[in-house]
Amino acid sequence: AAWNLIRAASWAGGNGAFVPRIVAMNFTKEESARLAKGCKSEGVSPFAAFTYASVKACKEVLGQAPTNIGNQASLQTRHYPAPDQGTERDFVGDWLIGAVTPVADDFTLAAAQAAYTTMIDDLDALDSFD
């Protein structure tokens, strides 16, 4: 928290705002389907497309890319499934973790997809870190 507060200061390279900013996009079902279809045609997941778009926007609008992106990922269906649950994440619980995506200088759409694939593989293999 202290690092985030200090890093937000203009003299430390931040934008001078000391409050978190959250942007929410509420797509219609049709817009979501078009996005998924477009991502599929590019061979990437929607997650990777949003990650790439976020980095691209930071570079174009702020003039710099983030160092890392904090992601929210669920371990519920992977490691704590209920009987006959399937793949639905519809249970309340504390199964979310903050996976981090490092952002290289040449963060391309392909790099975003590779980072997403690595994150999914790491989440799937989490129980092997005994």
Side-chain angles (χ1 to χ4, degrees), residues 76-91 95:
Q76 202 275 315
T77 57
R78 287 177 177 86
H79 302 289
Y80 305 101
D84 302 319
Q85 179 182 358
T87 59
E88 293 298 317
R89 294 185 317 226
D90 55 359
F91 290 95
W95 299 296

Coordinates of all heavy atoms in Angstrom, one line a residue, residues 76-91 95:
Q76 N -11.2 -22.2 -7.2 CA -12.3 -23.0 -6.7 C -12.5 -24.3 -7.5 O -12.5 -25.4 -7.0 CB -13.6 -22.2 -6.7 CG -14.6 -22.7 -5.7 CD -15.5 -23.7 -6.4 OE1 -16.0 -23.6 -7.5 NE2 -15.7 -24.8 -5.7
T77 N -12.8 -24.2 -8.9 CA -13.1 -25.4 -9.6 C -11.8 -26.2 -9.9 O -11.9 -27.4 -10.0 CB -13.7 -25.0 -11.0 OG1 -12.8 -24.2 -11.7 CG2 -15.0 -24.4 -10.8
R78 N -10.6 -25.6 -9.8 CA -9.4 -26.4 -10.0 C -9.0 -27.2 -8.8 O -8.6 -28.3 -9.0 CB -8.3 -25.4 -10.3 CG -8.3 -24.8 -11.7 CD -7.1 -23.8 -11.8 NE -7.1 -23.3 -13.2 CZ -7.8 -22.2 -13.6 NH1 -8.6 -21.6 -12.7 NH2 -7.7 -21.8 -14.8
H79 N -9.2 -26.7 -7.6 CA -8.6 -27.3 -6.5 C -9.6 -27.5 -5.3 O -9.2 -28.2 -4.4 CB -7.4 -26.5 -6.0 CG -6.4 -26.3 -7.0 ND1 -5.5 -27.3 -7.4 CD2 -6.0 -25.2 -7.8 CE1 -4.7 -26.9 -8.4 NE2 -5.0 -25.6 -8.6
Y80 N -10.8 -27.0 -5.4 CA -11.8 -27.2 -4.3 C -13.1 -27.4 -4.9 O -14.1 -26.8 -4.5 CB -11.8 -25.9 -3.4 CG -10.5 -25.5 -2.9 CD1 -9.7 -24.5 -3.4 CD2 -9.9 -26.2 -1.8 CE1 -8.5 -24.1 -2.9 CE2 -8.7 -25.9 -1.3 CZ -8.0 -24.8 -1.9 OH -6.8 -24.5 -1.4
P81 N -13.3 -28.3 -5.9 CA -14.6 -28.5 -6.5 C -15.6 -29.2 -5.6 O -15.2 -30.1 -4.8 CB -14.3 -29.4 -7.7 CG -13.0 -30.1 -7.3 CD -12.2 -29.2 -6.5
A82 N -16.8 -28.8 -5.7 CA -17.9 -29.6 -5.0 C -18.3 -30.7 -5.9 O -18.1 -30.7 -7.1 CB -19.0 -28.6 -4.8
P83 N -18.8 -31.8 -5.3 CA -19.3 -32.9 -6.0 C -20.3 -32.5 -7.1 O -21.2 -31.7 -6.9 CB -20.0 -33.8 -5.0 CG -19.4 -33.4 -3.7 CD -19.1 -32.0 -3.8
D84 N -20.1 -33.0 -8.3 CA -21.0 -32.7 -9.5 C -21.1 -31.3 -9.9 O -22.1 -30.9 -10.5 CB -22.4 -33.3 -9.2 CG -22.4 -34.8 -8.9 OD1 -21.6 -35.5 -9.6 OD2 -23.1 -35.2 -8.0
Q85 N -20.1 -30.5 -9.5 CA -20.1 -29.1 -9.8 C -19.8 -28.8 -11.3 O -20.4 -27.8 -11.8 CB -19.1 -28.3 -9.0 CG -19.1 -26.8 -9.2 CD -18.0 -26.1 -8.4 OE1 -17.4 -26.7 -7.6 NE2 -17.9 -24.8 -8.6
G86 N -19.0 -29.5 -11.9 CA -18.6 -29.2 -13.3 C -17.6 -28.0 -13.3 O -16.8 -27.9 -12.4
T87 N -17.7 -27.1 -14.3 CA -16.8 -26.0 -14.4 C -17.4 -24.7 -14.0 O -16.8 -23.7 -14.1 CB -16.3 -25.9 -15.9 OG1 -17.5 -25.7 -16.7 CG2 -15.6 -27.1 -16.3
E88 N -18.6 -24.7 -13.4 CA -19.3 -23.5 -13.0 C -18.6 -23.0 -11.7 O -18.5 -23.7 -10.7 CB -20.8 -23.7 -12.8 CG -21.5 -24.0 -14.0 CD -21.5 -22.8 -15.0 OE1 -21.6 -21.7 -14.6 OE2 -21.3 -23.1 -16.2
R89 N -18.3 -21.7 -11.6 CA -17.7 -21.1 -10.4 C -18.9 -20.3 -9.8 O -19.0 -19.1 -9.8 CB -16.6 -20.1 -10.8 CG -15.4 -20.8 -11.3 CD -14.3 -19.9 -11.5 NE -14.7 -18.6 -12.1 CZ -14.1 -18.0 -13.1 NH1 -13.0 -18.5 -13.6 NH2 -14.5 -16.8 -13.5
D90 N -19.8 -21.0 -9.1 CA -21.0 -20.4 -8.6 C -21.0 -20.6 -7.0 O -22.1 -20.4 -6.5 CB -22.2 -21.0 -9.2 CG -22.3 -22.5 -9.1 OD1 -21.4 -23.1 -8.6 OD2 -23.3 -23.0 -9.6
F91 N -19.9 -20.9 -6.4 CA -19.9 -21.0 -4.9 C -19.2 -19.8 -4.3 O -18.2 -19.3 -4.8 CB -19.2 -22.3 -4.5 CG -20.0 -23.5 -4.9 CD1 -19.7 -24.2 -6.1 CD2 -21.0 -24.0 -4.0 CE1 -20.5 -25.3 -6.4 CE2 -21.7 -25.1 -4.3 CZ -21.4 -25.8 -5.5
W95 N -11.5 -18.2 -2.7 CA -10.6 -19.0 -3.6 C -9.9 -18.2 -4.6 O -9.2 -18.7 -5.5 CB -11.4 -20.1 -4.3 CG -12.1 -21.0 -3.4 CD1 -11.5 -21.9 -2.6 CD2 -13.5 -21.2 -3.2 NE1 -12.5 -22.7 -1.9 CE2 -13.7 -22.2 -2.3 CE3 -14.7 -20.6 -3.7 CZ2 -14.9 -22.7 -1.9 CZ3 -15.9 -21.0 -3.3 CH2 -16.0 -22.0 -2.4

